Coordinates of all heavy atoms in Angstrom, one line a residue:
K1410 N 25.5 -1.1 4.9 CA 24.9 -1.3 6.2 C 23.4 -1.7 6.1 O 22.7 -2.0 7.1 CB 24.9 0.0 7.0 CG 26.4 0.4 7.3 CD 26.5 1.4 8.5 CE 25.9 2.7 8.1 NZ 26.8 3.5 7.3
G1411 N 22.9 -1.8 4.8 CA 21.5 -2.2 4.7 C 20.5 -1.1 4.7 O 19.3 -1.3 4.7
D1412 N 21.0 0.2 4.6 CA 20.1 1.4 4.6 C 19.9 1.7 3.1 O 20.7 1.5 2.2 CB 20.8 2.6 5.3 CG 20.9 2.3 6.8 OD1 20.1 1.6 7.3 OD2 21.9 2.8 7.3
V1413 N 18.7 2.3 2.8 CA 18.3 2.6 1.5 C 19.0 3.8 0.9 O 19.1 4.9 1.5 CB 16.7 2.9 1.4 CG1 16.4 3.4 0.0 CG2 15.9 1.7 1.8
I1414 N 19.7 3.6 -0.2 CA 20.3 4.7 -1.0 C 19.3 5.3 -1.9 O 19.0 6.5 -1.9 CB 21.5 4.3 -1.8 CG1 22.7 3.8 -0.8 CG2 22.0 5.4 -2.7 CD1 23.9 3.3 -1.5
T1415 N 18.6 4.5 -2.7 CA 17.6 4.9 -3.6 C 16.5 3.8 -3.8 O 16.9 2.7 -3.9 CB 18.1 5.4 -4.9 OG1 17.0 5.9 -5.8 CG2 18.9 4.3 -5.7
R1416 N 15.3 4.3 -3.9 CA 14.2 3.4 -4.3 C 14.0 3.4 -5.9 O 13.2 2.7 -6.4 CB 12.9 3.9 -3.7 CG 12.9 3.9 -2.2 CD 11.6 4.5 -1.6 NE 10.5 3.7 -2.0 CZ 10.0 2.6 -1.4 NH1 10.7 2.2 -0.3 NH2 9.0 1.9 -1.8
Q1417 N 14.8 4.3 -6.5 CA 14.6 4.5 -8.0 C 15.7 3.8 -8.8 O 16.2 4.3 -9.8 CB 14.7 6.0 -8.3 CG 13.6 6.9 -7.6 CD 12.2 6.6 -8.1 OE1 12.0 6.0 -9.2 NE2 11.2 6.9 -7.3
G1418 N 16.1 2.6 -8.3 CA 17.1 1.9 -9.0 C 16.8 1.6 -10.5 O 17.7 1.7 -11.3
R1419 N 15.6 1.4 -10.8 CA 15.2 1.2 -12.2 C 15.5 2.3 -13.1 O 16.2 2.2 -14.1 CB 13.7 0.9 -12.3 CG 13.2 0.7 -13.7 CD 11.7 0.7 -13.7 NE 11.2 0.4 -15.1 CZ 9.9 0.5 -15.4 NH1 9.0 0.8 -14.5 NH2 9.5 0.2 -16.7
V1420 N 15.1 3.5 -12.6 CA 15.4 4.8 -13.4 C 16.9 5.0 -13.5 O 17.5 5.3 -14.5 CB 14.8 6.0 -12.6 CG1 15.2 7.3 -13.3 CG2 13.3 5.9 -12.7
E1421 N 17.6 4.7 -12.4 CA 19.1 5.0 -12.4 C 19.8 4.0 -13.3 O 20.7 4.5 -14.1 CB 19.7 4.8 -10.9 CG 19.1 5.7 -9.9 CD 19.5 7.2 -10.1 OE1 20.4 7.4 -11.0 OE2 19.1 8.0 -9.4
V1422 N 19.4 2.8 -13.3 CA 20.1 1.8 -14.2 C 19.8 2.2 -15.7 O 20.8 2.1 -16.5 CB 19.6 0.4 -13.9 CG1 19.9 -0.6 -15.0 CG2 20.2 -0.1 -12.6

Side-chain angles (χ1 to χ4, degrees):
K1410 296 199 290 286
D1412 295 328
V1413 173
I1414 292 176
T1415 179
R1416 301 175 59 84
Q1417 302 291 340
R1419 176 193 185 183
V1420 171
E1421 297 293 354
V1422 164

